[in-house]
Amino acid sequence: MKHGSDIIYSKGMQMEKEFIQHGTTSVYAHSVAVACFSLYLCKKLHLKVRERELIRGALLHDYFLYDWHDPDPSHRLHGFHHANTALRNAERDFELSDVEKDIIKKHMFPLNIRVPKYKESVIVCMADKICAVQEMITDHSVSTYAGVWQRIS
């Protein structure tokens, strides 16, 4: 909350509660889970990171603000395009650092060929994949990470 409360309580993030990401997990819950798991990885691996930027980039990595399951033609190839949409929306709604922009734009590596530039981007990219797999397989959402969050905060 120290680094991302303005994002958490924003209109866009609140909209994300209505959009499903993986299984029954909302985009909002997935984004919070990715932020928590990113922090967990850093603590577990003793990595020095720009924590504020890591958290904010993780919260905004899927800030595309639509339900990609709708059969709208603009949602075709969502996996290839949503990072750019998320970045445009995030730049519109928040002031972003270069690290935060890189996290959002490159979190879909290797599906998108843009290689992450910062270690924070690599961490969020990995955490995103791990959380997505867990959400699809076990149908868990952010509540899964409550224990993780308590251990790292």
Side-chain angles (χ1 to χ4, degrees):
M1 292 305 287
K2 180 170 93 172
H3 299 305
S5 62
D6 61 324
I7 295 170
I8 291 288
Y9 294 116
S10 71
K11 183 179 177 184
M13 282 297 282
Q14 295 304 304
M15 284 174 52
E16 286 188 352
K17 291 178 179 179
E18 304 302 317
F19 306 137
I20 296 300
Q21 181 69 324
H22 308 114
T24 60
T25 303
S26 70
V27 177
Y28 176 91
H30 169 73
S31 298
V32 172
V34 170
C36 291
F37 198 70
S38 294
L39 280 175
Y40 172 77
L41 288 173
C42 292
K43 302 287 184 188
K44 197 74 168 164
L45 300 172
H46 307 287
L47 300 174
K48 286 190 169 194
V49 295
R50 292 167 271 216
E51 191 172 283
R52 180 181 194 276
E53 292 168 292
L54 176 89
I55 292 167
R56 295 176 69 79
L59 289 172
L60 293 168
H61 81 280
D62 279 338
Y63 196 69
F64 46 84
L65 306 179
Y66 60 82
D67 184 350
W68 64 273
H69 299 91
D70 285 345
D72 185 310
S74 69
H75 301 166
R76 290 189 65 223
L77 302 175
H78 167 80
F80 293 96
H81 302 293
H82 79 273
N84 286 329
T85 303
L87 179 58
R88 276 193 309 276
N89 291 339
E91 286 179 316
R92 179 194 66 214
D93 294 349
F94 304 98
E95 190 171 319
L96 302 175
S97 71
D98 288 342
V99 174
E100 293 161 346
K101 290 176 189 177
D102 195 69
I103 290 169
I104 298 165
K105 188 172 188 171
K106 299 177 181 172
H107 79 274
M108 286 302 291
F109 179 80
L111 186 60
N112 291 348
I113 304 173
R114 297 179 186 109
V115 178
K117 181 177 180 179
Y118 303 99
K119 67 179 155 185
E120 292 84 358
S121 304
V122 173
I123 292 162
V124 171
C125 185
M126 291 184 335
D128 180 43
K129 307 304 180 272
I130 293 166
C131 290
V133 168
Q134 182 172 5
E135 291 159 6
M136 288 185 286
I137 292 173
T138 63
D139 204 31
H140 284 74
S141 65
V142 73
S143 62
T144 304
Y145 303 98
V148 171
W149 180 253
Q150 289 181 349
R151 286 194 299 270
I152 62 174
S153 54

